Amino acid sequence: MPTSCVIGLLWGDEGKGKIIDLFAAEADWVVRYAGGHNAGHTLVRDGERLVLHLVPSAILRPGVRNVIGNGVVVDPFHLRSEVLGLRERGVDVQLGQNLLVSEAAHVILPVHKALDAMAEERRGAAKIGTTGRGIGPAYADRASRCGVRVGDLLRPESLDASLQRLKSEKDALLEAWGGDPIDADALRRDLLEVGEFLAPAIADTGHLLREAHRSGARVLCEGAQGVLLDVDHGTYPFVTSSSASTGGVAGGTGLPPTALTQVRGVVKAYATRVGSGPFPTELRCDVAHRLREAGREYGSTTGRPRRVGWFDAVAVRYSAQLAGATEVVLTNLDVLSGFRPLQVCVAYDLGGDPERRSENFPAFELDRVRPVFREFQGFDGDLSSVREYSDLPAAARAYVEGLEELIGVPIRTVSVGPGRDQVIAR
Ligand code: GDP
């Protein structure tokens, strides 16, 4: 049975939530392997919009076991509110049944949030544009070996030792930056209390997933953020602090690297980015405004307006290769209706110099490349009810096929609206 991954091919917000929910119909387990509650995966159920931050995107699928893997950093207070919020909206979340959390996942604490805000403030104009939720500092503590893990919330003695270690590492920094020292007693009380709530869900999920894989269960790994935000392979330093690409799957789930046999890369028919960092095909003119409004490009976690631009085939080819994409899902094709002509970036002039034209994605000086565009004819009409590929306007098909050729990976699914059924299989 295949273990698959659904992953965003740019900087996040590619529409992964909907696509994971769609393919979860063929999964027994869905597991998040990286990131934290900075993710915002949107599902539309009977016309109602549901944004998930930490809970995996198959929570609406009966019978699927949703796992928050060890590679995710978990704010337990946020998780409790997200679970309660979903239940209030009629979603059947059963801890230990359809939702599990790895005991080895690291915990985001209030001190991480405070440090996130202070560090961003200190960066001034060079700020990374983090969501301010403590994700980066929690990953940093994981690497520095002074973190608290979800399993600690069930073990008071272990929690005490972890908190003492953290306090001795962090108080001096907090003092230097003008913050308050960690109140270990209050934190201990709050963590044990939230741990009691989460207890039924906390498990050795790596073991459970390996057993499931060995017995032939279908596991779908849910990417968060996107390949170009991967800490190693993304647009450093404007990246997230985890291995968001498929390289993070084994580390963040406990599955063996050989388990992964299918990778679906999700990408919009144009490009968007939230926060700072290079974005070669970014549009700043009136077209940008129209595209942002047509695609309702405002962050689902922060509400920030997203930066928008033309499709970047250089970047997507790179990320598809890096992630090992076996197929591509193209979302938001409907949004491009009425934009004429369409532009697609096919190469970069490095340093703005046409003599140094390259079709490869550079690790440095991405902010100084000039995109080389190929023009595609635009198309009109409402695509949102199209379900057969042959019913798309000829120019829309030519656009899809042109992108496919440039990326070098087959586009097997085209999405034409936010709803679960608004897809075209090719
Ligand atoms: P994710 O973080 O990758 O899950 O992406 P988001 O959920 O933040 O952003 C995707 C947005 O686009 C959400 O509002 C979706 O409901 C919406 N969406 C997904 N697919 C399509 C599509 O094909 N067309 C349109 N118009 N909207 C879509």
Side-chain angles (χ1 to χ4, degrees):
M1 283 294 164
T3 291
S4 64
C5 181
V6 173
I7 189 159
L9 292 180
L10 283 182
W11 294 282
D13 308 315
E14 297 90 348
K16 296 178 294 294
K18 163 192 162 155
I19 300 303
I20 291 158
D21 170 58
L22 176 72
F23 288 115
E26 353 171 310
D28 303 304
W29 297 72
V30 169
V31 49
R32 276 274 309 266
Y33 62 88
H37 61 306
N38 50 347
H41 295 173
T42 312
L43 310 182
V44 176
R45 178 185 62 161
D46 303 329
E48 193 193 356
R49 202 162 168 268
L50 208 61
V51 181
L52 302 167
H53 298 286
L54 208 44
V55 171
S57 300
I59 199 69
L60 297 180
R61 293 278 184 189
V64 176
R65 306 193 86 190
N66 291 269
V67 178
I68 299 173
N70 63 277
V72 176
V73 282
V74 177
D75 179 333
F77 307 105
H78 171 90
L79 182 57
R80 177 170 57 187
S81 347
E82 190 168 329
V83 167
L84 294 176
L86 284 169
R87 284 182 183 157
E88 252 171 47
R89 295 183 64 182
V91 181
D92 182 31
V93 186
Q94 299 284 344
L95 302 183
Q97 300 296 317
N98 66 348
L99 183 63
L100 295 160
V101 188
S102 168
E103 60 186 5
H106 276 251
V107 174
I108 301 177
L109 299 166
V111 60
H112 294 128
K113 227 166 130 175
L115 288 170
D116 207 353
M118 289 180 207
E120 196 71 333
E121 172 89 31
R122 294 169 67 84
R123 287 183 194 115
K127 70 176 195 244
I128 296 173
T130 80
T131 53
R133 297 189 166 202
I135 314 283
Y139 275 118
D141 282 354
R142 177 179 79 159
S144 305
R145 286 143 298 169
C146 64
V148 172
R149 293 185 295 166
V150 168
D152 286 331
L153 308 189
L154 306 180
R155 298 173 177 85
E157 276 181 27
S158 178
L159 180 63
D160 284 338
S162 299
L163 288 177
Q164 277 320 311
R165 217 168 36 224
L166 184 75
K167 196 170 160 54
S168 66
E169 290 261 341
K170 288 286 164 295
D171 276 0
L173 178 64
L174 284 164
E175 195 188 340
W177 284 6
D180 296 325
I182 295 174
D183 181 346
D185 291 338
L187 190 54
R188 175 185 199 273
R189 195 187 52 231
D190 294 347
L191 288 172
L192 290 175
E193 188 206 322
V194 74
E196 223 170 278
F197 174 86
L198 295 175
I202 300 174
D204 180 353
T205 57
H207 171 71
L208 296 174
L209 287 166
R210 284 189 297 280
E211 286 299 304
H213 173 61
R214 271 157 46 91
S215 66
R218 300 161 303 176
V219 181
L220 189 161
C221 302
E222 169 170 355
Q225 287 84 45
V227 172
L228 295 187
L229 289 175
D230 185 277
V231 67
D232 289 300
H233 303 286
T235 49
Y236 195 89
F238 301 102
V239 291
T240 192
S241 19
S242 61
S243 294
S245 185
T246 41
V249 168
T253 61
L255 284 165
T258 45
L260 196 60
T261 51
Q262 186 180 42
V263 178
R264 290 185 168 109
V266 185
V267 66
K268 279 179 193 157
Y270 49 94
T272 62
R273 177 164 201 169
V274 172
S276 321
F279 181 0
T281 62
E282 182 167 16
L283 284 161
R284 289 189 181 81
C285 50
D286 172 54
V287 185
H289 177 71
R290 279 174 52 216
L291 194 51
R292 184 175 301 113
E293 293 309 312
R296 296 208 268 149
E297 295 296 351
Y298 294 89
S300 33
T301 300
T302 58
R304 287 186 282 190
R306 294 178 182 143
R307 299 158 65 193
V308 298
W310 295 120
F311 191 93
D312 185 342
V314 178
V316 176
R317 186 170 49 239
Y318 163 76
S319 59
Q321 282 178 5
L322 186 71
T326 51
E327 58 187 85
V328 165
V329 178
L330 189 72
T331 58
N332 290 41
L333 184 66
D334 52 303
V335 173
L336 285 185
S337 194
F339 287 84
R340 284 168 176 275
L342 299 170
Q343 308 285 350
V344 173
C345 171
V346 294
Y348 296 149
D349 284 342
L350 303 178
D353 179 358
E355 299 289 313
R356 295 176 57 220
R357 185 156 294 181
S358 169
E359 293 181 359
N360 296 329
F361 192 75
F364 283 86
E365 297 181 20
L366 189 62
D367 53 340
R368 291 181 46 222
V369 304
R370 183 173 308 140
V372 179
F373 287 112
R374 181 187 299 174
E375 200 169 286
F376 283 75
Q377 199 190 330
F379 46 87
D380 294 311
D382 179 7
L383 307 191
S384 64
S385 50
V386 176
R387 297 293 175 270
E388 291 293 329
Y389 185 67
S390 55
D391 291 340
L392 283 174
R397 278 182 278 134
Y399 184 67
V400 172
E401 287 155 31
L403 298 187
E404 180 174 73
E405 199 183 319
L406 289 164
I407 305 167
V409 178
I411 297 176
R412 294 234 188 278
T413 312
V414 177
S415 172
V416 289
R420 187 189 265 177
D421 61 323
Q422 291 178 299
V423 283
I424 300 169
R426 284 181 74 213

